[in-house]
Amino acid sequence: MFYQKTKIRYHGLEIAKNRITRDHADATKSRTIIVNNISAFNDLDFVIEAASENVDLKRSIFSELDKITKSDAILATNTSSISITKIAAATKRPEKVIGMHFMNPVPVMKLVEIIPGLSTSEETLNTTLSFAAKMGKTCTKSQDVPGFAANRILMPYINEAVIVLEQGISSRDDIDTTMKLGTNVPMGPLRLADFIGLDTCLAIMKVLHQEIGDTKYRPAVLLQKYVDAGWLGRKSGRGFYDDY
């Protein structure tokens, strides 16, 4: 069940690349119910929020969920950088709040990073790990620190690639080819940033910079410019690449 203002997109690209079959996509769609009111979540046992990377928005959603859902329901957030403890504090059940950072694209990527908050109970953690395993996911755990483990490593890497482009040290294609073939990753950092969403990358870098206070996490000027221009990557049709 989904509550959102935008429509769920059909994964035509994933089908075209043989990452999932059309039957798989159709079966998934058939099990999806789109609702327009969050009150429809009143009888759910487990809720996963996947709103934009904005702490005020997430806290507002969790405050609503806390009032509407059953008292024993687990409330998970798909945040990629924001404090689970801070989000949980918007509820009266912080022991039932946990982070589930799904890697993108979710149907393809096997990893889910699990992040307990300060008050998350062992029962909530174990239930979440079991739930993710039933989805066919592999779980890793991280402490509740800015960026957790995945983005504490990944986002500075992407940000530095943007700085290298900004300073004219290397071209877009040479940066991505160097990292793709030189480190045996499936795509270069600039293409990866486009897939993640440049606005999401910027939001995460801002969280790292503000919360940790180290200048090494300062977002690249060019990254901010692209977001200001509305060049958000694949979802907007243009980012560092424009072949979407």
Side-chain angles (χ1 to χ4, degrees), residues 178-241:
T178 295
M179 299 312 297
K180 184 176 178 179
L181 301 184
T183 63
N184 199 30
V185 292
M187 67 178 72
L190 300 177
R191 176 71 80 175
L192 177 58
D194 274 2
F195 272 72
I196 294 170
L198 302 191
D199 52 339
T200 299
C201 293
L202 179 62
I204 295 169
M205 287 305 301
K206 285 183 174 179
V207 169
L208 291 173
H209 189 217
Q210 291 166 5
E211 296 292 329
I212 300 173
D214 194 320
T215 56
K216 73 179 181 179
Y217 298 114
R218 185 168 55 207
V221 173
L222 186 60
L223 180 59
Q224 180 70 66
K225 283 184 177 180
Y226 272 47
V227 173
D228 289 345
W231 299 354
L232 308 181
R234 184 176 67 164
K235 61 186 173 184
S236 71
R238 179 171 184 175
F240 292 109
Y241 293 82

Side-chain angles (χ1 to χ4, degrees), residues 1 28 31 39 50 65 91 113 120 129-130 158 181 191 205 231:
M1 181 181 291
T28 300
R31 294 192 300 270
S39 63
L65 288 171
T91 76
E113 189 178 26
T120 303
L129 290 169
S130 176
I158 288 175
L181 301 184
R191 176 71 80 175
M205 287 305 301
W231 299 354

Side-chain angles (χ1 to χ4, degrees), residues 89-150:
T91 76
K92 294 179 180 178
R93 63 177 98 176
E95 73 283 356
K96 292 286 186 180
V97 177
I98 194 165
M100 291 185 78
H101 178 204
F102 289 82
M103 302 297 125
N104 189 42
V106 177
V108 178
M109 302 296 280
K110 291 291 187 182
L111 183 68
V112 179
E113 189 178 26
I114 306 297
I115 310 100
L118 182 64
S119 301
T120 303
S121 70
E122 198 69 22
E123 180 183 9
T124 296
L125 173 60
N126 290 335
T127 300
T128 303
L129 290 169
S130 176
F131 184 38
K134 288 178 180 178
M135 296 180 190
K137 300 295 186 181
T138 297
C139 295
T140 58
K141 290 189 288 184
S142 171
Q143 293 185 22
D144 186 20
V145 297
F148 316 129

Side-chain angles (χ1 to χ4, degrees), residues 59 84-92 94 97:
R59 280 174 56 85
I84 308 304
T85 301
K86 188 178 291 186
I87 293 172
T91 76
K92 294 179 180 178
V97 177

